[in-house]
Amino acid sequence: DTAVSQTPKYLVTQMGNDKSIKCEQNLGHDTMYWYKQDSKKFLKIMFSYNNKELIINETVPNRFSPKSPDKAHLNLHINSLELGDSAVYFCASSQDYEGQPQHFGDGTRLSIL
Amino acid sequence: DQQVKQNSPSLSVQEGRISILNCDYTNSMFDYFLWYKKYPAEGPTFLISISSIKDKNEDGRFTVFLNKSAKHLSLHIVPSQPGDSAVYFCAAIKPGAGSYQLTFGKGTKLSVIP
């Protein structure tokens, strides 16, 4: 049983398009996250979200928006895709208290042509 | 501004020997530290963590040591096995209001040679 699943695994699209990546967790966790791993392999937080609060990393362009239809899902919408958006995007989830490890999905590799 | 640094991009170790992966941090507000292991085309997998009030945590072959005064932690793997070959990420948590976001280092690629 996959704990954190992301779809699609690969996404190839043209500059200027709008796309979404879906994430679902079946762990009953309260908090979900999106991370971006760039070409230098740095994993950086983009958003964290629970039913109380959305926290956005200030470096994330407002073309990126998380959408959570319920506690088990946190989707990532990206508008007007740019070449620099090419990266691997990881979804994660955790219990909402200190020190709890985050569980990651296998990533979505986004390539912008 | 890298708040978590892994200065060795790669490490090679013979099977059966000890692997020591190092991590330094700059932000004294971090109060939990975690190690993740990552295979290609997969997401990071949690290995072990340590609270800033401790100096050692052990789980089977994995031990994490924390030296708060030096702002340094290390992961020891004993004995190393070929299946341990992966990229290891050090991560830290700086608690904020309702969020426990991870700050990652750039990773160290461990190769265990049979």
Side-chain angles (χ1 to χ4, degrees):
Chain A
D1 246 3
T2 305
V4 181
S5 59
Q6 298 178 227
T7 53
K9 192 166 177 68
Y10 300 96
L11 183 53
V12 181
T13 190
Q14 303 267 1
M15 216 165 46
N17 285 350
D18 303 337
K19 288 293 177 188
S20 296
I21 306 172
K22 294 186 176 181
C23 179
E24 176 182 3
Q25 55 96 5
N26 62 6
L27 297 166
H29 287 164
D30 303 307
T31 306
M32 297 184 73
Y33 311 80
W34 277 104
Y35 288 85
K36 177 181 179 180
Q37 187 177 35
D38 60 23
S39 56
K40 296 180 181 177
K41 305 301 183 188
F42 240 135
L43 266 162
K44 286 188 180 175
I45 183 71
M46 298 178 71
F47 306 99
S48 62
Y49 184 80
N50 60 25
N51 57 7
K52 301 168 220 162
E53 195 170 11
L54 168 66
I55 296 181
I56 303 170
N57 184 315
E58 59 188 14
T59 65
V60 175
N62 58 15
R63 298 181 294 104
F64 290 78
S65 57
K67 300 264 194 282
S68 180
D70 55 57
K71 203 174 86 162
H73 296 84
L74 183 66
N75 303 325
L76 181 65
H77 296 265
I78 317 169
N79 294 325
S80 303
L81 280 157
E82 300 178 357
L83 288 174
D85 298 332
S86 295
V88 183
Y89 293 85
F90 289 97
C91 177
S93 71
S94 72
Q95 292 286 19
D96 189 22
Y97 52 93
E98 194 170 31
Q100 288 304 295
Q102 294 175 22
H103 297 257
F104 284 78
D106 283 341
T108 296
R109 181 174 292 277
L110 174 63
S111 299
I112 311 301
L113 303 178
Chain B
D1 176 29
Q2 260 185 274
Q3 298 184 57
V4 177
K5 300 178 187 179
Q6 293 176 258
N7 292 320
S8 299
S10 62
L11 174 68
S12 288
V13 171
Q14 288 281 76
E15 181 179 2
R17 307 292 290 266
I18 184 171
S19 295
I20 300 176
L21 296 109
N22 293 305
C23 178
D24 297 295
Y25 62 96
T26 58
N27 193 329
S28 56
M29 297 297 290
F30 289 138
D31 67 350
Y32 267 93
F33 302 90
L34 303 90
W35 284 94
Y36 281 82
K37 173 180 177 179
K38 186 182 180 304
Y39 293 118
E42 293 184 10
T45 303
F46 170 70
L47 270 178
I48 191 169
S49 64
I50 188 166
S51 162
S52 61
I53 63 172
K54 296 188 175 181
D55 54 19
K56 178 182 174 182
N57 189 24
E58 193 171 351
D59 184 1
R61 296 186 299 115
F62 302 92
T63 303
V64 56
F65 296 92
L66 175 62
N67 182 334
K68 272 190 76 174
S69 59
K71 293 194 176 73
H72 176 83
L73 63 155
S74 60
L75 174 68
H76 293 213
I77 306 173
V78 184
S80 300
Q81 299 172 354
D84 296 330
S85 297
V87 177
Y88 288 78
F89 289 96
C90 173
I93 295 177
K94 180 180 64 177
S99 166
Y100 300 108
Q101 299 175 356
L102 292 170
T103 301
F104 280 92
K106 290 182 80 169
T108 296
K109 184 175 182 179
L110 174 65
S111 300
V112 180
I113 304 159

